[in-house]
Amino acid sequence: IALDNLSIALKHDEDCINEINELEQLKKQYIDHYMMLHANARLNASENQKKNKLLNDERYVALQLLAREISFLPNGVFDEWKNTVKSLKDCYNLTADKLNHSVICPNCSYNPKEEIHKARISLQDLDEKLDEIYTTWIDMLLTNFNDPLVKESIELLEGEQKRLIKEFINNI
């Protein structure tokens, strides 16, 4: 409607300051709304540091190694967690001034329409899920290592291999 009003005012060679002010107000509302959506969809600088901290966490490193070396562990849960964390995008350079010249973020090309169904999970929830996966896997390993048949097999291992397994069991 605002564009129609401007068009009519220009066709009739009328003063169009009211129509221009209305368009400026709509633009400001768009910028405010886009900035809010962008802030909810993207990680800020401190959140990005937390994400990187999760990807360098000792639990993550241990799970990576276990997933690679032990086939009976449920890798799907860990893979899903990794994909979720890695899919989190950061962008903390957007300003309202940048949106005066572009309808989308020039840094990350955030398009709310394309990401409308993606609910961002909190980094705290991801940290808790990592801990849950880690604890579950350690419990599974301990359960398997305490199986009588497995214990017998451990005794048949060479010195260093046996020592490492026993050390693992005793330190958990």
Side-chain angles (χ1 to χ4, degrees):
I1 295 176
L3 283 175
D4 288 340
N5 291 342
L6 178 61
S7 176
I8 292 168
L10 289 171
K11 282 181 186 176
H12 293 105
D13 200 26
E14 298 172 353
D15 181 22
C16 52
I17 193 74
N18 291 335
E19 289 78 7
I20 291 172
N21 286 338
E22 185 179 357
L23 286 172
E24 288 294 327
Q25 184 60 32
L26 287 172
K27 183 177 180 180
K28 182 186 177 327
Q29 288 174 0
Y30 170 81
I31 289 171
D32 291 344
H33 187 68
Y34 184 94
M35 295 276 295
M36 182 207 51
L37 293 173
H38 184 276
N40 289 330
R42 296 294 188 254
L43 300 177
N44 62 35
S46 65
E47 290 170 326
N48 195 46
Q49 286 179 337
K50 289 177 186 174
K51 171 189 167 182
N52 290 329
K53 191 175 173 187
L54 278 176
L55 292 173
N56 292 305
D57 188 285
E58 63 185 29
R59 297 168 298 172
Y60 174 80
V61 173
L63 290 171
Q64 282 279 86
L65 179 63
L66 291 172
R68 192 171 47 247
E69 301 294 331
I70 302 174
S71 61
F72 71 84
L73 293 172
N75 291 346
V77 175
F78 183 53
D79 289 340
E80 183 180 324
W81 182 90
K82 285 190 297 187
N83 291 337
T84 300
V85 172
K86 290 179 180 180
S87 73
L88 296 174
K89 297 177 184 175
D90 67 288
C91 184
Y92 35 88
N93 295 317
L94 180 64
T95 62
D97 186 53
K98 287 181 181 180
L99 287 176
N100 273 320
H101 309 290
S102 177
V103 295
I104 62 170
C105 177
N107 304 309
C108 71
S109 302
Y110 170 65
N111 184 340
K113 195 174 181 181
E114 292 174 2
E115 299 184 31
I116 197 157
H117 299 296
K118 291 183 182 177
R120 190 177 89 176
I121 190 165
S122 78
L123 291 166
Q124 179 64 38
D125 289 346
L126 287 167
D127 185 44
E128 290 170 9
K129 183 68 175 175
L130 179 64
D131 201 53
E132 177 186 316
I133 296 167
Y134 180 80
T135 302
T136 300
W137 283 23
I138 295 300
D139 289 346
M140 287 176 73
L141 288 172
L142 288 174
T143 300
N144 280 290
F145 284 144
N146 286 316
D147 179 88
L149 190 59
V150 173
K151 280 185 174 186
E152 281 181 32
S153 298
I154 291 171
E155 290 304 318
L156 298 174
L157 292 172
E158 299 279 325
E160 180 66 12
Q161 292 173 331
K162 185 192 308 186
R163 184 190 68 74
L164 288 172
I165 291 174
K166 286 189 176 197
E167 184 179 316
F168 172 78
I169 293 168
N170 293 331
N171 287 335
I172 295 298

